[in-house]
Every structure is written in structure tokens, then in C-alpha cells.
Amino acid sequence: MQKYSVFSLIKNAFSDHQNWEVAWKDPTPKKEYDVIIIGGGGHGLATAYYLAKEHNITNVAIIEKGWIGGGNVGRNTTIIRSNYMHDDNALFSEFGMDLWRKMSQDLNYNVMFSPRGIINLAHSDAQMNAYSRRGNSMRLNGIDAVLLNREEVQKRIPMADFSDNVRFPIFGGLMQPSAGTARHDAVAWGYARQADSMGVDIIQNCEVTGFDVNNGKIVGVRTSKGDIKAKKVGLCVAGSTNILAEMLNMTLPIETHLLQACVSEPVKPLLDHVVTFGAGHFYCSQSDKGEMVMGGDLDGYNSYSQRGNLPTLQHVLTEGIAMFPFLSKLKMLRTWGGIMDMSMDGSPIIDKTHIDGLYLNCGWCYGGFKATPASGWTFAHTIAQDRVHELNSGYSLNRFNTGDLIDEKGLGTKTWIS
Amino acid sequence: MLYIFCPHCGLRSQNEFAYGGDATVKRPELNKEISDQEWNNFVYLRKSPRGKHLELWHHISGCRQWIKVERDTSTHEIFKTYKADELTE
């Protein structure tokens, strides 16, 4: 594989950038693989990469119905954080933060990781107390957390509404300085390029139409490009999880819902951090191009449509304007939607299933992007070793049976309530 | 914007309604010995189909009645709505 560097850039400039190697090939599927990963999104690509890199399993195919990175890894708001209170989530995400920090070097691909810090705003004394508790829990798990008072928040984001007589005055906030953003497409492409170079077949425009299960063991996958045999199969398909589960006669604690995001027209740099509104569900950061990147609530009813509805967008942006009044002056550039695999406790599932050789990675709700490296790393371990790693032992499928839920937000099964 | 036909009030916009989730999950019978698995199935497991989905909506800013709506989850087409106690096809 051609190494990307300033020298290769200069060298290729002489040939008008016409001679770059393709970043990944477009192979026809083989008859059989050791492992098939279904879903060429961030998590699937990362899984294949870590299978090859950490476990030396390279006879691997990624099967993707559309094109790689066309789902949620290309549709998110690029936020990376580990500001969780529960141990399972905190340790898992913080492990991921470490992978994020090394990712550009590791993949030889600039993922533009920008640890600009996230500030969760608080609008009451009670919320400050809750954040203080969450911050302490984070610090006990080795995650950086700083409780900011009103003046400290104002110093960092003076453009927020600090005027008198606002409905939700800013009391302060909880900041994780090491959180940030990354270039989402680059994450997919970087993993794809490295996985491909180690021998992984990335098969695009290939839809899974069924599974071959024999005596409780997976033996292959039926696809629109023919039947492919496999010793092990991993599902990494986010919002489409239930569609595949139905083919396997499995019913999962997952509902598919739609989440929208949007960007404004680009403006000069004014927002240094990722900021979330504490009296509703709205988050905002500024991209390197200058666009304000915004998101918030689910549309609120089961949906596979990948495009959103205006009432929710209006509601979300009303919250945004309450927090940052200047947003009302900006034009909207683009809006889009992605379909989320909402689990019944808000936490993911990375586990084996009752079918031998079939592994499940789903339930990321609207927090899947930041989890990409840790999810891929632990899922690769689970598949390669046929047992869960300590880091994803809490993310079991069985926890709904045993009552060991990880309900970070305390929302229960009503995933559409935010 | 979804337009939902409330069987009590007529056609109204989505803004008047709150979503209530899958209408096909059935609570286990009262006064019956229920296994953990049955509880798990009722509380947590969802089919979440792509296509026709029977779901509960609450006409919270209207007549405040719960209704059942048969809707397509990928096109958002609404086929039919029912009163909460009405039998569905």
C-alpha cells in the first residue's frame, strides 16, 4: 500500500494527482471466508481492520448493501466523547478515546481528530448537582471532567444567551476537555483502506437476502451476488438490525428510529467547543468549513425512511436558538436523517448469539460514531476469540433477561421520549 | 408532517399527537404465573418491521384518546386508524 505523506503528496502533484493507487479494491466475492462482516459502516470496517491487525484473521469479507460509509458514519454530527457515568459505558468509551487519539497515525489517514472539548450546559441548581455527580464518576474512571460555573462558561462560549429573563438561564456546565470531533468520512475510508491492504474484501452493492444455518451453527450468507460460505458472521448494520434479525427468526430489544441532523451556511470561526443544551435535546459544534453542525431529538416514531420530518427539526432548532440566539440569523444549508438502532436501555449490544458463529453488534442508539474504534476493537475480539472482552462484557444481549440494564439516561424502553 | 385521522376528531396534524409505540405487544395475563422470559418478551422485545406497523398514538392535544394507527415505517403512509379498543384486521 502506498503510504500517505507530504512526500507522496508532492510526488503525485507532478503527475497531476492522476497516479494515486485506489484506496480499496472492488473484488468479486470468494466462495468462502473465515469471517463475514455484514455492514460496511464505521463499525463494520473497524471490526474487519482489528480482525486483521489484532487477530491476524485476514480471510474476511465486508458485505455492504449500498456503498461503504453511506449510512450513519456519513450521517452523524461527528462528536466524540466519553462523558458517561456508568462504569460499563465509561471504561468502554475511554478505551475508545485512546484509539481516537492514535487513529490518524495508526491508519496513516488524517481523520482530523479535534479534541476541542464538550460542554453540557446546566440550567438549574439540581442539574449542576447531577453534573457534579456525573463528573465525579467520570474522574473516578480516569476521564477528565471539569465543572464550570456561569462565568467560566461565559468565557468559553460568550455567544450563548446570558441575558436576563431567559426561560432557561445558564447556571454552569460540565466539560470534558478531551472530547471533540473527527472527520466522519475519513474514519470510514481510513479503516477501509487499511483493512483492504491487509487482505479484507470490501464488497459493495451486495445485499444480504438470507442466512444458512445448519444445526444451530452459521454456515453462510445468501446475497444478491450469490451464496457465500462463512465460518463466522458478524452483524454490524445499525438501523437495519431488525430486518436481518427477522431473517434469522430472532426478535431483539431494538427499535429503529430516525434521527435528523443539519448544518447551517458556513460562517467565520466562533464556536470553539461542542456544546449541548441542558433543558432539551440539542447539540452544536462548528465544522472546519465553518458550518454550524446541529442535531437533537429523534423524530419520535419507528422509521426506516432515512429522511426526517419538519416538526421535529423545528422543535430542535427552537431549542438551539434558545441557547445560541445568533443561529436564527443563519440559513440552513442541508438537513438529513439516519436510522438508529435504539436499544431498550439506551446502551449497545456486542455479544454472541444463540446461533453458533453468529455475532451481534447493535443498539448504538444515537451514540454510534464515537464508539467506532472501541466497537470494532471489542467486536473483533469477540468474533476472533469466540468470547466477549472485559470491555464489552456489560453489553450482553442477555442483560434484558437478567435485569443488568445500563440505562445511562434513565429513559427505560420508551426510546422515542427525549 | 404526518396527518393522522383520529377516529374521534377527524384528520389532524402530527403536532397534536404523542407516539405510544408498538400496539402489538401484549401484556401477560393478570393472575397467571409468568416466567421471566415472558416478562422479557413483553417489556423489551420488538419486531420493529420495515413496512406495515400497528402502533399506538395519543391524541394528547385533541380529544386525549389513545388510538391505533397502521402506518408504513419506510414511506410513512397511513393505511387505517382505529379506536383503541377496536379490533384490527
Side-chain angles (χ1 to χ4, degrees):
Chain A
M1 186 185 61
Q2 193 173 18
K3 193 171 156 32
Y4 290 165
S5 68
V6 66
F7 303 108
S8 67
L9 191 65
I10 294 166
K11 191 180 137 209
N12 278 280
F14 287 111
S15 53
D16 247 0
H17 296 292
Q18 298 300 306
N19 296 329
W20 285 101
E21 268 177 31
V22 291
W24 54 87
K25 297 175 282 292
D26 191 17
T28 46
K30 289 190 258 181
K31 287 266 174 281
E32 183 170 2
Y33 289 95
D34 290 341
V35 180
I36 289 179
I37 304 292
I38 302 172
H43 291 222
L45 293 161
T47 304
Y49 169 69
Y50 291 114
L51 274 174
K53 185 186 173 225
E54 303 286 341
H55 305 281
N56 211 19
I57 300 173
T58 56
N59 187 21
V60 176
I62 294 171
I63 295 178
E64 166 56 46
K65 179 183 161 192
W67 61 93
I68 57 164
N72 294 344
V73 72
R75 292 165 185 264
N76 56 75
T77 46
T78 79
I79 298 164
I80 293 159
R81 59 186 174 83
S82 60
N83 51 359
Y84 286 101
M85 192 167 82
H86 289 294
D87 288 351
D88 291 293
N89 289 334
L91 297 172
F92 180 90
S93 313
E94 187 56 18
F95 175 77
M97 290 302 293
D98 213 36
L99 295 174
W100 278 112
R101 286 187 272 269
K102 299 174 194 153
M103 191 182 288
S104 288
Q105 300 302 322
D106 188 30
L107 298 180
N108 179 228
Y109 205 103
N110 187 2
V111 298
M112 297 162 73
F113 178 55
S114 161
R116 59 184 68 181
I118 186 167
I119 301 173
N120 302 126
L121 294 181
H123 308 275
S124 65
D125 283 326
Q127 211 169 6
M128 284 299 281
N129 288 344
Y131 279 160
S132 153
R133 180 177 175 226
R134 169 138 62 111
N136 283 330
S137 304
M138 287 165 61
R139 292 176 75 122
L140 286 171
N141 278 323
I143 303 164
D144 56 331
V146 187
L147 196 65
L148 306 175
N149 63 26
R150 182 179 160 93
E151 287 69 37
E152 287 163 331
V153 171
Q154 190 162 16
K155 222 166 69 188
R156 287 175 169 84
I157 48 166
M159 75 296 282
D161 196 346
F162 286 93
S163 57
D164 298 330
N165 298 321
V166 293
R167 175 67 183 83
F168 299 108
I170 295 169
F171 276 55
L174 181 67
M175 181 170 187
Q176 186 193 359
S178 67
T181 61
R183 172 89 188 120
H184 51 183
D185 297 318
V187 176
W189 298 336
Y191 275 124
R193 175 169 161 269
Q194 284 291 345
D196 175 270
S197 81
M198 289 189 279
V200 173
D201 280 358
I202 298 172
I203 300 157
Q204 304 183 73
N205 300 308
C206 180
E207 184 176 359
V208 170
T209 54
F211 294 86
D212 285 321
V213 180
N214 195 358
N215 279 334
K217 188 180 178 347
I218 197 100
V219 288
V221 176
R222 294 180 210 154
T223 77
S224 56
K225 294 190 175 180
D227 295 357
I228 309 172
K229 285 201 177 104
K231 294 188 186 78
K232 293 176 176 183
V233 174
L235 305 190
C236 260
V237 293
S240 303
T241 301
N242 283 302
I243 299 171
L244 293 187
E246 202 187 335
M247 296 176 191
L248 290 155
N249 289 322
M250 286 167 76
T251 311
L252 297 172
I254 302 278
E255 262 183 26
T256 294
H257 283 258
L258 185 123
L259 180 69
Q260 299 190 63
C262 57
V263 291
S264 74
E265 59 185 323
V267 288
K268 285 187 176 175
L270 78 150
L271 181 59
D272 295 332
H273 310 289
V274 181
V275 185
T276 72
F277 186 53
H281 201 173
F282 174 83
Y283 41 85
C284 184
S285 64
Q286 190 171 22
S287 75
D288 293 328
K289 287 182 282 185
E291 303 153 334
M292 307 305 293
V293 185
M294 301 169 279
D297 288 319
L298 294 173
D299 266 27
Y301 39 87
N302 294 44
S303 175
Y304 282 90
S305 70
Q306 283 195 322
R307 62 191 144 73
N309 233 331
L310 281 176
T312 306
L313 198 60
Q314 185 179 31
H315 172 72
V316 167
L317 290 172
T318 306
E319 295 173 28
I321 290 165
M323 181 169 94
F324 287 149
F326 75 91
L327 288 176
S328 67
K329 302 222 167 35
L330 298 182
K331 292 187 184 71
M332 189 74 76
L333 197 64
R334 276 177 293 133
T335 79
W336 63 92
I339 53 171
M340 309 292 129
D341 37 341
M342 302 300 296
S343 70
M344 292 289 147
D345 64 353
S347 296
I349 296 160
I350 309 177
D351 204 356
K352 299 161 64 169
T353 64
H354 70 284
I355 299 170
D356 203 16
L358 183 78
Y359 305 85
L360 192 60
N361 182 340
C362 64
W364 292 98
C365 300
Y366 24 62
F369 177 68
K370 67 173 168 298
T372 305
S375 161
W377 196 95
T378 52
F379 197 39
H381 181 280
T382 305
I383 294 172
Q385 313 273 336
D386 195 37
R387 61 185 166 85
V388 296
H389 189 270
E390 198 184 327
L391 282 168
N392 63 317
S393 58
Y395 293 159
S396 69
L397 181 55
N398 195 34
R399 70 176 183 270
F400 299 93
N401 257 326
T402 57
D404 297 313
L405 304 183
I406 311 170
D407 196 345
E408 187 81 29
K409 287 189 182 166
L411 285 178
T413 61
K414 302 284 185 284
T415 52
W416 57 87
I417 298 172
S418 346
Chain B
M1 179 78 80
L2 301 180
Y3 288 94
I4 300 170
F5 184 84
C6 171
H8 308 282
C9 314
L11 193 67
R12 299 299 177 90
S13 83
Q14 150 195 1
N15 291 338
E16 293 187 12
F17 294 85
Y19 187 59
D22 193 333
T24 63
V25 285
K26 280 212 172 63
R27 191 187 192 284
E29 263 178 61
L30 283 173
N31 306 321
K32 189 189 141 218
E33 194 61 36
I34 296 151
S35 69
D36 287 355
Q37 188 60 49
E38 282 173 284
W39 273 120
N40 176 64
N41 296 354
F42 162 62
V43 179
Y44 297 118
L45 299 193
R46 299 287 183 274
K47 287 271 182 217
S48 190
R50 180 172 59 179
K52 268 192 187 176
H53 188 231
L54 190 70
E55 53 203 18
L56 291 165
W57 287 76
H58 189 191
H59 196 183
I60 194 155
S61 305
C63 62
R64 302 186 66 81
Q65 296 293 311
W66 284 91
I67 62 168
K68 284 190 265 193
V69 176
E70 194 179 45
R71 186 180 59 91
D72 191 302
T73 56
S74 62
T75 64
H76 296 329
E77 182 183 355
I78 292 171
F79 304 104
K80 206 167 174 194
T81 56
Y82 304 85
K83 292 177 186 169
D85 59 352
E86 225 176 321
L87 287 176
T88 51
E89 285 157 19

Short mmCIF file of all heavy atoms in Angstrom, two decimals, chain A residues 347-381:
data_model
loop_
_atom_site.label_atom_id
_atom_site.label_comp_id
_atom_site.label_asym_id
_atom_site.label_seq_id
_atom_site.Cartn_x
_atom_site.Cartn_y
_atom_site.Cartn_z
N SER A 347 -28.22 1.50 25.73
CA SER A 347 -26.83 1.05 25.62
C SER A 347 -26.73 -0.04 24.56
O SER A 347 -27.70 -0.72 24.26
CB SER A 347 -26.32 0.53 26.97
OG SER A 347 -26.31 1.59 27.90
N PRO A 348 -25.53 -0.21 24.00
CA PRO A 348 -25.38 -1.13 22.88
C PRO A 348 -25.33 -2.61 23.28
O PRO A 348 -25.29 -2.94 24.47
CB PRO A 348 -24.04 -0.71 22.28
CG PRO A 348 -23.29 -0.14 23.41
CD PRO A 348 -24.29 0.53 24.29
N ILE A 349 -25.31 -3.46 22.26
CA ILE A 349 -25.16 -4.90 22.44
C ILE A 349 -23.98 -5.34 21.57
O ILE A 349 -23.98 -5.08 20.36
CB ILE A 349 -26.44 -5.64 21.99
CG1 ILE A 349 -27.62 -5.25 22.89
CG2 ILE A 349 -26.22 -7.15 22.00
CD1 ILE A 349 -28.97 -5.54 22.27
N ILE A 350 -22.95 -5.92 22.19
CA ILE A 350 -21.87 -6.56 21.43
C ILE A 350 -21.73 -7.94 22.04
O ILE A 350 -21.19 -8.08 23.15
CB ILE A 350 -20.52 -5.82 21.54
CG1 ILE A 350 -20.68 -4.34 21.23
CG2 ILE A 350 -19.48 -6.45 20.61
CD1 ILE A 350 -19.39 -3.55 21.40
N ASP A 351 -22.20 -8.96 21.36
CA ASP A 351 -22.30 -10.24 22.04
C ASP A 351 -22.37 -11.39 21.03
O ASP A 351 -22.55 -11.17 19.83
CB ASP A 351 -23.56 -10.25 22.92
CG ASP A 351 -23.46 -11.24 24.08
OD1 ASP A 351 -22.46 -11.97 24.16
OD2 ASP A 351 -24.40 -11.28 24.88
N LYS A 352 -22.24 -12.60 21.56
CA LYS A 352 -22.53 -13.80 20.78
C LYS A 352 -24.05 -13.96 20.75
O LYS A 352 -24.78 -13.28 21.48
CB LYS A 352 -21.91 -15.03 21.47
CG LYS A 352 -20.40 -14.95 21.57
CD LYS A 352 -19.84 -15.88 22.61
CE LYS A 352 -20.08 -17.33 22.25
NZ LYS A 352 -19.30 -18.25 23.13
N THR A 353 -24.54 -14.86 19.91
CA THR A 353 -25.98 -15.12 19.89
C THR A 353 -26.21 -16.60 20.16
O THR A 353 -25.26 -17.37 20.33
CB THR A 353 -26.58 -14.77 18.52
OG1 THR A 353 -26.01 -15.66 17.55
CG2 THR A 353 -26.30 -13.35 18.12
N HIS A 354 -27.48 -17.01 20.11
CA HIS A 354 -27.78 -18.43 20.33
C HIS A 354 -27.36 -19.27 19.13
O HIS A 354 -27.30 -20.50 19.22
CB HIS A 354 -29.28 -18.62 20.63
CG HIS A 354 -30.16 -18.39 19.45
ND1 HIS A 354 -30.46 -17.12 18.98
CD2 HIS A 354 -30.79 -19.26 18.62
CE1 HIS A 354 -31.25 -17.23 17.93
NE2 HIS A 354 -31.46 -18.51 17.68
N ILE A 355 -27.07 -18.62 18.00
CA ILE A 355 -26.57 -19.34 16.83
C ILE A 355 -25.04 -19.35 16.88
O ILE A 355 -24.42 -18.29 16.98
CB ILE A 355 -27.08 -18.69 15.53
CG1 ILE A 355 -28.60 -18.74 15.49
CG2 ILE A 355 -26.47 -19.38 14.30
CD1 ILE A 355 -29.22 -17.94 14.38
N ASP A 356 -24.47 -20.53 16.83
CA ASP A 356 -23.02 -20.67 16.90
C ASP A 356 -22.37 -19.96 15.71
O ASP A 356 -22.75 -20.17 14.57
CB ASP A 356 -22.70 -22.17 16.87
CG ASP A 356 -21.34 -22.45 17.47
OD1 ASP A 356 -20.81 -21.57 18.16
OD2 ASP A 356 -20.83 -23.56 17.24
N GLY A 357 -21.41 -19.10 15.97
CA GLY A 357 -20.71 -18.41 14.89
C GLY A 357 -21.38 -17.14 14.42
O GLY A 357 -20.89 -16.48 13.50
N LEU A 358 -22.49 -16.79 15.02
CA LEU A 358 -23.16 -15.54 14.66
C LEU A 358 -23.00 -14.53 15.80
O LEU A 358 -23.31 -14.84 16.95
CB LEU A 358 -24.65 -15.77 14.38
CG LEU A 358 -25.39 -14.51 13.92
CD1 LEU A 358 -25.11 -14.23 12.45
CD2 LEU A 358 -26.88 -14.63 14.17
N TYR A 359 -22.51 -13.35 15.46
CA TYR A 359 -22.21 -12.34 16.46
C TYR A 359 -22.99 -11.07 16.16
O TYR A 359 -23.24 -10.74 15.00
CB TYR A 359 -20.71 -12.05 16.50
CG TYR A 359 -19.89 -13.29 16.70
CD1 TYR A 359 -19.54 -14.10 15.63
CD2 TYR A 359 -19.53 -13.69 17.99
CE1 TYR A 359 -18.83 -15.28 15.82
CE2 TYR A 359 -18.81 -14.86 18.19
CZ TYR A 359 -18.46 -15.65 17.12
OH TYR A 359 -17.76 -16.81 17.31
N LEU A 360 -23.34 -10.37 17.23
CA LEU A 360 -24.25 -9.24 17.10
C LEU A 360 -23.58 -7.97 17.63
O LEU A 360 -23.01 -7.96 18.71
CB LEU A 360 -25.52 -9.56 17.92
CG LEU A 360 -26.74 -8.69 17.74
CD1 LEU A 360 -27.21 -8.73 16.29
CD2 LEU A 360 -27.83 -9.17 18.67
N ASN A 361 -23.68 -6.91 16.83
CA ASN A 361 -23.17 -5.61 17.24
C ASN A 361 -24.24 -4.60 16.87
O ASN A 361 -24.42 -4.29 15.69
CB ASN A 361 -21.86 -5.32 16.49
CG ASN A 361 -21.23 -4.00 16.89
OD1 ASN A 361 -21.90 -3.11 17.43
ND2 ASN A 361 -19.95 -3.85 16.63
N CYS A 362 -24.99 -4.13 17.85
CA CYS A 362 -26.12 -3.24 17.53
C CYS A 362 -26.53 -2.46 18.77
O CYS A 362 -25.90 -2.56 19.82
CB CYS A 362 -27.29 -4.05 17.01
SG CYS A 362 -27.98 -5.18 18.21
N GLY A 363 -27.57 -1.66 18.62
CA GLY A 363 -28.12 -0.93 19.76
C GLY A 363 -27.35 0.33 20.12
O GLY A 363 -27.34 0.76 21.27
N TRP A 364 -26.73 0.94 19.12
CA TRP A 364 -25.88 2.11 19.41
C TRP A 364 -26.68 3.37 19.63
O TRP A 364 -26.13 4.42 19.96
CB TRP A 364 -24.83 2.29 18.31
CG TRP A 364 -23.87 1.17 18.38
CD1 TRP A 364 -23.86 0.03 17.63
CD2 TRP A 364 -22.82 1.03 19.34
NE1 TRP A 364 -22.87 -0.81 18.07
CE2 TRP A 364 -22.22 -0.23 19.11
CE3 TRP A 364 -22.34 1.83 20.39
CZ2 TRP A 364 -21.16 -0.70 19.89
CZ3 TRP A 364 -21.30 1.36 21.14
CH2 TRP A 364 -20.72 0.12 20.90
N CYS A 365 -27.97 3.30 19.40
CA CYS A 365 -28.84 4.46 19.58
C CYS A 365 -28.25 5.63 18.79
O CYS A 365 -27.83 5.44 17.68
CB CYS A 365 -29.01 4.77 21.06
SG CYS A 365 -29.76 3.39 21.95
N TYR A 366 -28.19 6.83 19.39
CA TYR A 366 -27.60 7.90 18.59
C TYR A 366 -26.17 8.21 19.02
O TYR A 366 -25.71 9.32 18.89
CB TYR A 366 -28.46 9.17 18.59
CG TYR A 366 -29.38 9.33 19.77
CD1 TYR A 366 -28.89 9.44 21.05
CD2 TYR A 366 -30.75 9.37 19.57
CE1 TYR A 366 -29.75 9.58 22.12
CE2 TYR A 366 -31.62 9.51 20.63
CZ TYR A 366 -31.13 9.62 21.91
OH TYR A 366 -31.96 9.75 22.96
N GLY A 367 -25.48 7.18 19.53
CA GLY A 367 -24.11 7.41 20.01
C GLY A 367 -23.10 6.52 19.33
O GLY A 367 -22.07 6.20 19.91
N GLY A 368 -23.36 6.11 18.12
CA GLY A 368 -22.50 5.11 17.48
C GLY A 368 -21.19 5.62 16.94
O GLY A 368 -20.20 4.91 16.94
N PHE A 369 -21.16 6.88 16.49
CA PHE A 369 -19.95 7.35 15.82
C PHE A 369 -18.74 7.34 16.73
O PHE A 369 -17.69 6.80 16.40
CB PHE A 369 -20.14 8.75 15.22
CG PHE A 369 -18.90 9.28 14.60
CD1 PHE A 369 -18.38 8.70 13.45
CD2 PHE A 369 -18.21 10.35 15.16
CE1 PHE A 369 -17.20 9.16 12.88
CE2 PHE A 369 -17.03 10.82 14.60
CZ PHE A 369 -16.53 10.23 13.46
N LYS A 370 -18.89 7.92 17.92
CA LYS A 370 -17.76 7.99 18.85
C LYS A 370 -17.26 6.61 19.24
O LYS A 370 -16.11 6.42 19.60
CB LYS A 370 -18.15 8.75 20.11
CG LYS A 370 -19.17 8.01 20.92
CD LYS A 370 -19.43 8.68 22.24
CE LYS A 370 -20.65 8.08 22.90
NZ LYS A 370 -21.87 8.28 22.13
N ALA A 371 -18.18 5.62 19.16
CA ALA A 371 -17.83 4.27 19.61
C ALA A 371 -17.11 3.47 18.52
O ALA A 371 -16.66 2.35 18.79
CB ALA A 371 -19.08 3.53 20.04
N THR A 372 -17.00 4.04 17.31
CA THR A 372 -16.49 3.27 16.17
C THR A 372 -15.23 2.44 16.48
O THR A 372 -15.24 1.23 16.30
CB THR A 372 -16.25 4.19 14.97
OG1 THR A 372 -17.45 4.89 14.70
CG2 THR A 372 -15.81 3.43 13.74
N PRO A 373 -14.13 3.05 16.96
CA PRO A 373 -12.93 2.24 17.17
C PRO A 373 -13.08 1.20 18.28
O PRO A 373 -12.68 0.05 18.11
CB PRO A 373 -11.84 3.26 17.50
CG PRO A 373 -12.55 4.51 17.88
CD PRO A 373 -13.89 4.48 17.23
N ALA A 374 -13.69 1.60 19.40
CA ALA A 374 -13.82 0.67 20.52
C ALA A 374 -14.78 -0.46 20.16
O ALA A 374 -14.57 -1.62 20.54
CB ALA A 374 -14.31 1.40 21.77
N SER A 375 -15.82 -0.14 19.42
CA SER A 375 -16.78 -1.15 18.99
C SER A 375 -16.10 -2.15 18.06
O SER A 375 -16.25 -3.37 18.23
CB SER A 375 -17.95 -0.47 18.29
OG SER A 375 -18.68 -1.38 17.50
N GLY A 376 -15.36 -1.64 17.08
CA GLY A 376 -14.66 -2.52 16.15
C GLY A 376 -13.64 -3.39 16.87
O GLY A 376 -13.54 -4.59 16.62
N TRP A 377 -12.92 -2.78 17.80
CA TRP A 377 -11.87 -3.49 18.53
C TRP A 377 -12.46 -4.63 19.37
O TRP A 377 -11.99 -5.76 19.33
CB TRP A 377 -11.11 -2.50 19.42
CG TRP A 377 -9.80 -3.00 19.93
CD1 TRP A 377 -8.57 -2.79 19.38
CD2 TRP A 377 -9.58 -3.80 21.11
NE1 TRP A 377 -7.60 -3.41 20.13
CE2 TRP A 377 -8.19 -4.04 21.20
CE3 TRP A 377 -10.42 -4.34 22.08
CZ2 TRP A 377 -7.63 -4.77 22.22
CZ3 TRP A 377 -9.85 -5.09 23.10
CH2 TRP A 377 -8.47 -5.30 23.17
N THR A 378 -13.51 -4.32 20.13
CA THR A 378 -14.10 -5.35 21.01
C THR A 378 -14.89 -6.39 20.21
O THR A 378 -14.90 -7.57 20.57
CB THR A 378 -15.03 -4.72 22.07
OG1 THR A 378 -15.97 -3.88 21.41
CG2 THR A 378 -14.25 -3.90 23.07
N PHE A 379 -15.53 -5.94 19.12
CA PHE A 379 -16.29 -6.89 18.31
C PHE A 379 -15.33 -7.87 17.61
O PHE A 379 -15.60 -9.06 17.53
CB PHE A 379 -17.15 -6.14 17.28
CG PHE A 379 -18.26 -6.98 16.68
CD1 PHE A 379 -18.97 -7.88 17.44
CD2 PHE A 379 -18.60 -6.84 15.34
CE1 PHE A 379 -20.00 -8.65 16.90
CE2 PHE A 379 -19.63 -7.60 14.78
CZ PHE A 379 -20.33 -8.50 15.56
N ALA A 380 -14.21 -7.34 17.15
CA ALA A 380 -13.20 -8.20 16.52
C ALA A 380 -12.71 -9.24 17.53
O ALA A 380 -12.57 -10.42 17.22
CB ALA A 380 -12.03 -7.37 16.01
N HIS A 381 -12.49 -8.79 18.78
CA HIS A 381 -12.06 -9.71 19.83
C HIS A 381 -13.12 -10.78 20.08
O HIS A 381 -12.82 -11.97 20.19
CB HIS A 381 -11.77 -8.93 21.12
CG HIS A 381 -11.30 -9.80 22.26
ND1 HIS A 381 -12.17 -10.54 23.03
CD2 HIS A 381 -10.06 -10.06 22.72
CE1 HIS A 381 -11.47 -11.21 23.93
NE2 HIS A 381 -10.19 -10.94 23.77
#
